[in-house]
Amino acid sequence: MSTVSDASRRTTASDRLLRLLTVVPWIAAHDGPRLDEVCERFGLTRRQLLDDLQIIPLVGLPPYTPDTLIDVTIEGDRVWLRFADVFARPLRLTPEQGLALVAAGSAWRGVQGAEPDGPLATALDKVAAVLDIDPDEAISVALGGDARPGTIDALRRAVAEHRRVRIDYYAFGRDQRRSREVDPHAVFAEDGAWYVRGHCHLARGERLFRVDRIYDVTLLDERFDPPEGVADGAPEGAVFDPGPEVPRVTLDLAPAGRWVVETYPVEEVVEGGDGRLRVRLAVSATPWLERLLVRLGPDARVVEADDDALRLAGRTAARRLLARYRAEGATASSG
């Protein structure tokens, strides 16, 4: 095996989507370009391009018959794209959908290889003109749509007034819902979600909480003195920044499990044979790893782990699921 990338070089699903939105119309507009020409223009490896071209034929509309999908033809060193007839129908957008399209298009214009005067850019300019907006203007995006009403305002008030709060919080990693008292230091948005960072009295240390997992928040009378240098903004560092004390696990992934690299923060990616990957990631809580392994099924195998709980996570989750199915089956039989 040879190391091909690390966390800093990892391609996310968003990166790949932006790339496809740029590559697909360019290939379609250039009758049969050479694969090497496409790779050079968009800064891709041949493997990346071929992987992308395998996804494109899956794009279409229900019932997903051949006449509703995009056709990809590769002959020798050239590639052709043919759009299904359904893509030729006039597209009707609501104002909200049009604004979202223009906002996404603004990000697309920064992708390597994007043509500023190409057909996709022209179409986006037409949508912006209909909406009477300037695509280069700043667009305000409202985050926290999944947060319960009043939660963010209450947390911001607590930060401003240095007041302790009691939150009813669901910890996704531990699959556990508990009441906690927290001295909130900062409320901030990152990667499309709202977070609150502060001192958790239950954990006796600083913790990070996702606002959309807070079921209820109550402002308390107790006051606290915030740490020096803390402001109501995004703290330095990543949302998930595991220290050396957090255990690590190494997974061997089948090709069908490669989505893990694009979904979770992995620390190392090693390319194997037949499209397999070996990835190393930090595990803040064993139940999270158990759920991941259940979801992956036969497409993942634990190779190394820092402790026995992680090494046996797959078996533990399987036994728990089997016990639950047996219990539900017994209840159904008795009923």
Side-chain angles (χ1 to χ4, degrees), residues 113-181:
E115 291 185 315
D117 300 321
L120 184 54
T122 302
L124 288 170
D125 289 339
K126 290 180 179 179
V127 174
V130 171
L131 295 172
D132 194 23
I133 61 174
D134 183 349
D136 294 328
E137 290 180 349
I139 298 177
S140 177
V141 179
L143 301 176
D146 293 333
R148 285 155 181 80
T151 301
I152 295 178
D153 290 339
L155 291 171
R156 282 177 165 169
R157 178 182 173 187
V159 170
E161 298 179 0
H162 304 158
R163 290 175 59 180
R164 185 175 302 176
V165 296
R166 180 182 295 113
I167 61 174
D168 180 7
Y169 186 74
Y170 171 68
F172 180 81
R174 292 177 171 78
D175 192 21
Q176 187 180 64
R177 181 173 167 179
R178 302 181 68 175
S179 176
R180 299 166 178 262
E181 290 192 4

Side-chain angles (χ1 to χ4, degrees), residues 11-28 38 42 44 47-59 70 72 81 83 108 111-114 120 262:
T11 300
T12 66
S14 298
D15 294 335
R16 196 173 196 183
L17 177 59
L18 284 175
R19 189 169 69 219
L20 285 171
L21 289 174
T22 309
V23 173
V24 168
W26 191 87
I27 294 178
V38 179
F42 296 99
L44 304 174
R47 175 63 179 272
Q48 285 177 316
L49 177 59
L50 293 176
D51 285 347
D52 288 348
L53 293 177
Q54 289 180 354
I55 294 177
I56 296 173
L58 303 178
V59 178
I70 298 178
V72 178
L81 292 181
F83 292 106
W108 161 80
V111 177
Q112 179 178 346
L120 184 54
E262 301 178 353

